[in-house]
PDB file of all heavy atoms in Angstrom:
ATOM      1  N   ALA A  65    -143.283  16.873  47.753  1.00 97.00           N
ATOM      2  CA  ALA A  65    -142.675  16.166  46.624  1.00 97.00           C
ATOM      3  C   ALA A  65    -141.271  15.691  46.962  1.00 97.00           C
ATOM      4  O   ALA A  65    -140.831  14.620  46.513  1.00 97.00           O
ATOM      5  CB  ALA A  65    -142.655  17.066  45.390  1.00 97.00           C
ATOM      6  N   LEU A  66    -140.553  16.466  47.761  1.00 97.00           N
ATOM      7  CA  LEU A  66    -139.196  16.085  48.166  1.00 97.00           C
ATOM      8  C   LEU A  66    -139.199  15.058  49.292  1.00 97.00           C
ATOM      9  O   LEU A  66    -138.185  14.403  49.544  1.00 97.00           O
ATOM     10  CB  LEU A  66    -138.425  17.324  48.648  1.00 97.00           C
ATOM     11  CG  LEU A  66    -137.915  18.303  47.590  1.00 97.00           C
ATOM     12  CD1 LEU A  66    -137.391  19.564  48.266  1.00 97.00           C
ATOM     13  CD2 LEU A  66    -136.823  17.669  46.733  1.00 97.00           C
ATOM     14  N   GLY A  67    -140.332  14.935  50.000  1.00 97.00           N
ATOM     15  CA  GLY A  67    -140.383  14.069  51.175  1.00 97.00           C
ATOM     16  C   GLY A  67    -139.667  14.678  52.352  1.00 97.00           C
ATOM     17  O   GLY A  67    -139.072  13.963  53.177  1.00 97.00           O
ATOM     18  N   CYS A  68    -139.720  16.019  52.466  1.00 98.00           N
ATOM     19  CA  CYS A  68    -139.015  16.728  53.539  1.00 98.00           C
ATOM     20  C   CYS A  68    -140.014  17.403  54.473  1.00 98.00           C
ATOM     21  O   CYS A  68    -141.158  17.686  54.089  1.00 98.00           O
ATOM     22  CB  CYS A  68    -138.087  17.796  52.951  1.00 98.00           C
ATOM     23  SG  CYS A  68    -136.714  17.133  51.969  1.00 98.00           S
ATOM     24  N   ASP A  69    -139.582  17.672  55.702  1.00 97.00           N
ATOM     25  CA  ASP A  69    -140.468  18.348  56.653  1.00 97.00           C
ATOM     26  C   ASP A  69    -140.207  19.852  56.720  1.00 97.00           C
ATOM     27  O   ASP A  69    -140.908  20.583  57.427  1.00 97.00           O
ATOM     28  CB  ASP A  69    -140.350  17.741  58.045  1.00 97.00           C
ATOM     29  CG  ASP A  69    -138.949  17.864  58.644  1.00 97.00           C
ATOM     30  OD1 ASP A  69    -138.118  18.642  58.089  1.00 97.00           O
ATOM     31  OD2 ASP A  69    -138.676  17.204  59.657  1.00 97.00           O
ATOM     32  N   GLY A  70    -139.195  20.348  56.005  1.00 97.00           N
ATOM     33  CA  GLY A  70    -138.914  21.771  55.956  1.00 97.00           C
ATOM     34  C   GLY A  70    -137.893  22.246  56.961  1.00 97.00           C
ATOM     35  O   GLY A  70    -137.471  23.411  56.929  1.00 97.00           O
ATOM     36  N   GLU A  71    -137.473  21.378  57.873  1.00 98.00           N
ATOM     37  CA  GLU A  71    -136.501  21.777  58.886  1.00 98.00           C
ATOM     38  C   GLU A  71    -135.070  21.462  58.472  1.00 98.00           C
ATOM     39  O   GLU A  71    -134.126  21.819  59.184  1.00 98.00           O
ATOM     40  CB  GLU A  71    -136.821  21.074  60.211  1.00 98.00           C
ATOM     41  CG  GLU A  71    -138.156  21.475  60.807  1.00 98.00           C
ATOM     42  CD  GLU A  71    -138.290  22.975  60.983  1.00 98.00           C
ATOM     43  OE1 GLU A  71    -137.352  23.590  61.547  1.00 98.00           O
ATOM     44  OE2 GLU A  71    -139.314  23.543  60.543  1.00 98.00           O
ATOM     45  N   GLU A  72    -134.905  20.805  57.340  1.00 98.00           N
ATOM     46  CA  GLU A  72    -133.565  20.442  56.877  1.00 98.00           C
ATOM     47  C   GLU A  72    -132.736  21.715  56.616  1.00 98.00           C
ATOM     48  O   GLU A  72    -133.214  22.665  55.983  1.00 98.00           O
ATOM     49  CB  GLU A  72    -133.646  19.620  55.588  1.00 98.00           C
ATOM     50  CG  GLU A  72    -134.332  18.277  55.742  1.00 98.00           C
ATOM     51  CD  GLU A  72    -135.849  18.359  55.704  1.00 98.00           C
ATOM     52  OE1 GLU A  72    -136.387  19.502  55.620  1.00 98.00           O
ATOM     53  OE2 GLU A  72    -136.505  17.297  55.754  1.00 98.00           O
ATOM     54  N   ALA A  73    -131.501  21.714  57.070  1.00 97.00           N
ATOM     55  CA  ALA A  73    -130.613  22.862  56.855  1.00 97.00           C
ATOM     56  C   ALA A  73    -130.067  22.824  55.425  1.00 97.00           C
ATOM     57  O   ALA A  73    -129.567  21.779  54.977  1.00 97.00           O
ATOM     58  CB  ALA A  73    -129.467  22.846  57.857  1.00 97.00           C
ATOM     59  N   VAL A  74    -130.178  23.949  54.726  1.00 98.00           N
ATOM     60  CA  VAL A  74    -129.702  24.013  53.343  1.00 98.00           C
ATOM     61  C   VAL A  74    -128.938  25.317  53.125  1.00 98.00           C
ATOM     62  O   VAL A  74    -129.163  26.311  53.827  1.00 98.00           O
ATOM     63  CB  VAL A  74    -130.875  23.933  52.333  1.00 98.00           C
ATOM     64  CG1 VAL A  74    -131.576  22.589  52.410  1.00 98.00           C
ATOM     65  CG2 VAL A  74    -131.860  25.077  52.558  1.00 98.00           C
ATOM     66  N   PRO A  75    -128.029  25.335  52.148  1.00 97.00           N
ATOM     67  CA  PRO A  75    -127.293  26.574  51.851  1.00 97.00           C
ATOM     68  C   PRO A  75    -128.177  27.566  51.095  1.00 97.00           C
ATOM     69  O   PRO A  75    -129.007  27.175  50.271  1.00 97.00           O
ATOM     70  CB  PRO A  75    -126.140  26.090  50.971  1.00 97.00           C
ATOM     71  CG  PRO A  75    -126.675  24.852  50.302  1.00 97.00           C
ATOM     72  CD  PRO A  75    -127.583  24.201  51.310  1.00 97.00           C
ATOM     73  N   THR A  76    -128.007  28.838  51.378  1.00 97.00           N
ATOM     74  CA  THR A  76    -128.718  29.903  50.657  1.00 97.00           C
ATOM     75  C   THR A  76    -127.758  31.073  50.488  1.00 97.00           C
ATOM     76  O   THR A  76    -126.713  31.134  51.148  1.00 97.00           O
ATOM     77  CB  THR A  76    -129.967  30.404  51.419  1.00 97.00           C
ATOM     78  OG1 THR A  76    -129.548  31.289  52.476  1.00 97.00           O
ATOM     79  CG2 THR A  76    -130.791  29.268  51.983  1.00 97.00           C
ATOM     80  N   PRO A  77    -128.095  32.045  49.642  1.00 93.00           N
ATOM     81  CA  PRO A  77    -127.250  33.241  49.520  1.00 93.00           C
ATOM     82  C   PRO A  77    -127.120  34.000  50.837  1.00 93.00           C
ATOM     83  O   PRO A  77    -126.173  34.762  51.026  1.00 93.00           O
ATOM     84  CB  PRO A  77    -127.988  34.084  48.475  1.00 93.00           C
ATOM     85  CG  PRO A  77    -128.771  33.093  47.669  1.00 93.00           C
ATOM     86  CD  PRO A  77    -129.192  32.042  48.640  1.00 93.00           C
ATOM     87  N   ALA A  78    -128.069  33.795  51.749  1.00 91.00           N
ATOM     88  CA  ALA A  78    -128.033  34.475  53.051  1.00 91.00           C
ATOM     89  C   ALA A  78    -127.409  33.618  54.142  1.00 91.00           C
ATOM     90  O   ALA A  78    -127.474  33.972  55.317  1.00 91.00           O
ATOM     91  CB  ALA A  78    -129.450  34.875  53.452  1.00 91.00           C
ATOM     92  N   GLY A  79    -126.825  32.482  53.765  1.00 95.00           N
ATOM     93  CA  GLY A  79    -126.266  31.566  54.753  1.00 95.00           C
ATOM     94  C   GLY A  79    -127.161  30.351  54.931  1.00 95.00           C
ATOM     95  O   GLY A  79    -128.178  30.204  54.267  1.00 95.00           O
ATOM     96  N   GLU A  80    -126.805  29.478  55.825  1.00 97.00           N
ATOM     97  CA  GLU A  80    -127.577  28.247  56.027  1.00 97.00           C
ATOM     98  C   GLU A  80    -128.915  28.565  56.710  1.00 97.00           C
ATOM     99  O   GLU A  80    -128.975  29.278  57.709  1.00 97.00           O
ATOM    100  CB  GLU A  80    -126.781  27.268  56.876  1.00 97.00           C
ATOM    101  CG  GLU A  80    -127.358  25.867  56.887  1.00 97.00           C
ATOM    102  CD  GLU A  80    -126.446  24.879  57.595  1.00 97.00           C
ATOM    103  OE1 GLU A  80    -126.551  24.792  58.837  1.00 97.00           O
ATOM    104  OE2 GLU A  80    -125.637  24.221  56.907  1.00 97.00           O
ATOM    105  N   LEU A  81    -130.005  28.001  56.134  1.00 98.00           N
ATOM    106  CA  LEU A  81    -131.353  28.242  56.662  1.00 98.00           C
ATOM    107  C   LEU A  81    -132.159  26.951  56.605  1.00 98.00           C
ATOM    108  O   LEU A  81    -131.837  26.039  55.825  1.00 98.00           O
ATOM    109  CB  LEU A  81    -132.078  29.314  55.827  1.00 98.00           C
ATOM    110  CG  LEU A  81    -131.570  30.752  55.905  1.00 98.00           C
ATOM    111  CD1 LEU A  81    -132.321  31.610  54.904  1.00 98.00           C
ATOM    112  CD2 LEU A  81    -131.711  31.312  57.313  1.00 98.00           C
ATOM    113  N   PRO A  82    -133.238  26.853  57.389  1.00 98.00           N
ATOM    114  CA  PRO A  82    -134.151  25.712  57.235  1.00 98.00           C
ATOM    115  C   PRO A  82    -134.766  25.712  55.832  1.00 98.00           C
ATOM    116  O   PRO A  82    -135.023  26.779  55.257  1.00 98.00           O
ATOM    117  CB  PRO A  82    -135.220  25.964  58.306  1.00 98.00           C
ATOM    118  CG  PRO A  82    -134.567  26.876  59.288  1.00 98.00           C
ATOM    119  CD  PRO A  82    -133.632  27.729  58.497  1.00 98.00           C
ATOM    120  N   LEU A  83    -135.001  24.553  55.291  1.00 98.00           N
ATOM    121  CA  LEU A  83    -135.474  24.420  53.919  1.00 98.00           C
ATOM    122  C   LEU A  83    -136.759  25.208  53.670  1.00 98.00           C
ATOM    123  O   LEU A  83    -136.903  25.865  52.631  1.00 98.00           O
ATOM    124  CB  LEU A  83    -135.685  22.934  53.591  1.00 98.00           C
ATOM    125  CG  LEU A  83    -136.224  22.613  52.200  1.00 98.00           C
ATOM    126  CD1 LEU A  83    -135.298  23.149  51.121  1.00 98.00           C
ATOM    127  CD2 LEU A  83    -136.410  21.101  52.043  1.00 98.00           C
ATOM    128  N   ARG A  84    -137.725  25.128  54.594  1.00 98.00           N
ATOM    129  CA  ARG A  84    -138.998  25.834  54.375  1.00 98.00           C
ATOM    130  C   ARG A  84    -138.769  27.335  54.205  1.00 98.00           C
ATOM    131  O   ARG A  84    -139.319  27.955  53.295  1.00 98.00           O
ATOM    132  CB  ARG A  84    -139.955  25.576  55.541  1.00 98.00           C
ATOM    133  CG  ARG A  84    -141.363  26.175  55.306  1.00 98.00           C
ATOM    134  CD  ARG A  84    -142.259  25.974  56.519  1.00 98.00           C
ATOM    135  NE  ARG A  84    -142.419  24.562  56.843  1.00 98.00           N
ATOM    136  CZ  ARG A  84    -143.324  23.761  56.262  1.00 98.00           C
ATOM    137  NH1 ARG A  84    -144.138  24.251  55.341  1.00 98.00           N
ATOM    138  NH2 ARG A  84    -143.402  22.498  56.617  1.00 98.00           N
ATOM    139  N   ARG A  85    -137.954  27.919  55.061  1.00 98.00           N
ATOM    140  CA  ARG A  85    -137.687  29.355  54.949  1.00 98.00           C
ATOM    141  C   ARG A  85    -136.910  29.670  53.680  1.00 98.00           C
ATOM    142  O   ARG A  85    -137.157  30.695  53.015  1.00 98.00           O
ATOM    143  CB  ARG A  85    -136.918  29.841  56.176  1.00 98.00           C
ATOM    144  CG  ARG A  85    -136.669  31.339  56.158  1.00 98.00           C
ATOM    145  CD  ARG A  85    -135.926  31.811  57.385  1.00 98.00           C
ATOM    146  NE  ARG A  85    -135.520  33.202  57.240  1.00 98.00           N
ATOM    147  CZ  ARG A  85    -134.703  33.837  58.058  1.00 98.00           C
ATOM    148  NH1 ARG A  85    -134.229  33.207  59.133  1.00 98.00           N
ATOM    149  NH2 ARG A  85    -134.371  35.095  57.841  1.00 98.00           N
ATOM    150  N   ALA A  86    -135.978  28.807  53.340  1.00 98.00           N
ATOM    151  CA  ALA A  86    -135.193  29.019  52.120  1.00 98.00           C
ATOM    152  C   ALA A  86    -136.094  29.040  50.889  1.00 98.00           C
ATOM    153  O   ALA A  86    -135.947  29.893  50.004  1.00 98.00           O
ATOM    154  CB  ALA A  86    -134.133  27.929  51.982  1.00 98.00           C
ATOM    155  N   LEU A  87    -137.037  28.085  50.824  1.00 98.00           N
ATOM    156  CA  LEU A  87    -137.953  28.025  49.684  1.00 98.00           C
ATOM    157  C   LEU A  87    -138.927  29.198  49.688  1.00 98.00           C
ATOM    158  O   LEU A  87    -139.395  29.632  48.636  1.00 98.00           O
ATOM    159  CB  LEU A  87    -138.729  26.708  49.694  1.00 98.00           C
ATOM    160  CG  LEU A  87    -137.899  25.443  49.497  1.00 98.00           C
ATOM    161  CD1 LEU A  87    -138.786  24.203  49.590  1.00 98.00           C
ATOM    162  CD2 LEU A  87    -137.168  25.471  48.158  1.00 98.00           C
ATOM    163  N   THR A  88    -139.238  29.729  50.838  1.00 98.00           N
ATOM    164  CA  THR A  88    -140.167  30.857  50.939  1.00 98.00           C
ATOM    165  C   THR A  88    -139.509  32.175  50.556  1.00 98.00           C
ATOM    166  O   THR A  88    -140.097  32.985  49.824  1.00 98.00           O
ATOM    167  CB  THR A  88    -140.720  30.964  52.373  1.00 98.00           C
ATOM    168  OG1 THR A  88    -141.386  29.744  52.705  1.00 98.00           O
ATOM    169  CG2 THR A  88    -141.697  32.121  52.505  1.00 98.00           C
TER     170      THR A  88
END
């Protein structure tokens, strides 16, 4: 839905992570 491949770096409470892992 976002048009992303999941490798995009995003902020999380645990620090910057790939989007797929962050969403998981």
Side-chain angles (χ1 to χ4, degrees):
L66 284 171
C68 294
D69 62 13
E71 296 305 311
E72 296 82 357
V74 295
T76 78
E80 193 173 85
L81 291 174
L83 178 59
R84 186 183 301 276
R85 183 179 171 190
L87 295 177
T88 301

